[in-house]
């Protein structure tokens, strides 16, 4: 049926819910329009939103013997929402929210069986679809650098209580606004050093005591490059600062998992 927002609603009986991956918190669901919600926490907080449960794949992904996983799916296929779900499951800052976010989902069975553990990572997120488009490759390179720097600042904003010092101190000391790749490598070194100190200190009650490292999520990983790469004329891209920045970024990420 139609409602005031022009969206369809439907009733789903409990027995039908049990046979599907659809999870709702009431007997009425409101079908949300595409592109509306890709934040897992906000989706789960709204009891009229339906969620097709894909959390059983958390254990599947965790059990794969690989440091890098690539999701290839069509547009509007839920990739961003899946990354948000992984962020909320693995992020140490979301431990206290585990019950309200995951208790009725498939992954909770794996957690109770000790097959996978929530809250064991510091989440570093990038979204390359947010880089401002421009025809000038030099401006594009600066836009990409700004995007990377902003993601690093957001990381420090999430985790400065764990890393020591104030947020302003971390950003001013550890981020070089003119060198995004150096700043990324510096962040990795800081996290590695902090986790080693926590481990060597032996304090099992420290909030980072069980943290394994950085969990990097890159949404729209090829959106920036695809905007400028020309299969008929590769020279402008290959010789550009933007291309060098992309290569430097992924080379640094590769070193993180080496």
């Amino acid at each position: 049926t139609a409602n005031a927002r022009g969206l369809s609603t439907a009733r789903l009986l409990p027995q039908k819910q049990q046979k599907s991956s659809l999870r709702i918190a009431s007997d009425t669901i409101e079908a949300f329009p595409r592109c509306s919600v890709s934040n897992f926490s906000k989706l789960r907080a709204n009891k009229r939103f339906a969620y097709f449960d894909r959390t059983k794949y958390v254990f599947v992904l965790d059990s794969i013997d690989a440091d890098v996983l690539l999701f290839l799916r069509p547009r509007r296929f839920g990739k961003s929402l899946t990354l948000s779900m992984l962020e909320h499951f693995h992020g140490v800052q979301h431990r206290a929210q585990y019950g309200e976010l995951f208790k009725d989902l498939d992954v909770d069975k794996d957690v109770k069986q000790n097959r996978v553990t929530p809250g064991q990572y510091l989440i570093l997120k990038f979204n390359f679809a947010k880089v401002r488009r421009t025809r000038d490759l030099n401006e594009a390179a600066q836009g990409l650098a700004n995007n990377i720097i902003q993601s690093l600042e957001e990381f420090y904003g999430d985790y400065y209580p764990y890393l020591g010092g104030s947020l302003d101190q971390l950003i001013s000391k550890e981020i070089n606004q003119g060198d995004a790749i150096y700043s990324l490598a510096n962040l990795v070194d800081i996290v590695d050093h902090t986790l080693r100190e926590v481990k060597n200190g032996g304090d099992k009650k420290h909030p980072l005591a069980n943290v394994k490292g950085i969990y990097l999520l890159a949404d729209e990983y090829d959106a920036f490059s695809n905007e400028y790469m020309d299969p008929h004329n590769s020279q402008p891209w290959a010789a550009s600062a933007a291309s060098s920045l992309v290569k430097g970024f992924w080379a640094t990420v590769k070193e993180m998992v080496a």
Side-chain angles (χ1 to χ4, degrees):
T1 59
N3 63 18
R5 296 174 59 192
L7 305 176
S8 62
T9 60
R11 292 186 179 276
L12 193 63
L13 298 177
Q15 58 267 33
K16 290 186 177 180
Q17 291 187 48
Q18 294 172 4
K19 296 179 181 179
S20 74
S21 62
L22 185 64
R23 301 290 179 264
I24 58 177
S26 66
D27 65 348
T28 302
I29 62 174
E30 186 174 285
F32 49 91
R34 64 180 185 177
C35 311
S36 66
V37 177
S38 60
N39 182 292
F40 182 74
S41 179
K42 290 182 179 180
L43 184 149
R44 294 287 286 160
N46 190 323
K47 302 305 181 183
R48 292 180 63 82
F49 276 169
Y51 175 63
F52 283 95
D53 188 1
R54 297 293 183 264
T55 61
K56 65 181 179 181
Y57 295 109
V58 171
F59 170 70
V60 175
L61 296 175
D62 194 60
S63 63
I64 295 175
D65 186 19
D67 293 317
V68 179
L69 298 173
L70 178 63
F71 297 162
L72 298 177
R73 291 293 184 272
R75 289 172 59 83
R76 313 306 178 208
F77 211 78
K79 298 186 296 296
S80 296
L81 178 57
T82 297
L83 294 186
S84 180
M85 179 272 289
L86 291 172
E87 171 194 350
H88 284 83
F89 182 84
H90 288 299
V92 63
Q93 74 273 34
H94 299 299
R95 277 177 181 168
Q97 292 179 279
Y98 175 82
E100 62 186 272
L101 294 177
F102 293 98
K103 65 179 180 180
D104 61 336
L105 301 182
D106 287 339
V107 72
D108 195 42
K109 303 171 187 175
D110 292 321
V111 171
K112 290 177 179 177
Q113 295 174 13
N114 295 317
R115 302 175 77 193
V116 65
T117 303
Q120 289 192 310
Y121 290 92
L122 306 180
I123 306 297
L124 178 57
K125 301 174 293 182
F126 297 94
N127 186 345
F128 296 116
K130 292 183 177 181
V131 181
R132 186 175 66 86
R133 303 294 194 269
T134 174
R135 292 180 178 273
D136 188 307
L137 277 172
N138 290 325
E139 291 183 8
Q142 186 58 54
L144 177 59
N146 292 342
N147 177 276
I148 294 172
I149 292 292
Q150 181 179 354
S151 294
L152 303 183
E153 291 177 347
E154 290 174 355
F155 179 92
Y156 285 126
D158 287 336
Y159 298 115
Y160 76 90
Y162 305 101
L163 300 175
S166 70
L167 176 58
D168 289 341
Q169 287 174 333
L170 276 173
I171 290 178
S172 62
K173 179 182 178 182
E174 310 300 350
I175 290 183
N176 182 339
Q177 297 291 337
D179 194 334
I181 303 306
Y182 168 83
S183 300
L184 172 59
N186 204 31
L187 181 148
V188 175
D189 289 341
I190 291 168
V191 171
D192 287 345
H193 175 75
T194 301
L195 294 181
R196 281 197 303 270
E197 283 195 332
V198 171
K199 182 178 180 180
N200 293 336
D203 182 3
K204 295 184 179 181
K205 294 184 178 181
H206 193 284
L208 298 182
N210 296 317
V211 169
K212 296 181 177 180
I214 295 173
Y215 201 107
L216 188 148
L217 299 170
D219 202 1
E220 300 285 355
Y221 77 98
D222 60 348
F224 178 81
S225 301
N226 287 344
E227 188 74 19
Y228 299 101
M229 295 178 69
D230 183 351
H232 304 292
N233 183 14
S234 61
Q235 183 59 29
W237 166 257
S240 70
S243 175
S244 297
L245 187 57
V246 170
K247 292 178 181 177
F249 175 86
W250 290 114
T252 303
V253 171
K254 184 178 179 180
E255 291 178 3
M256 288 172 57
V257 299

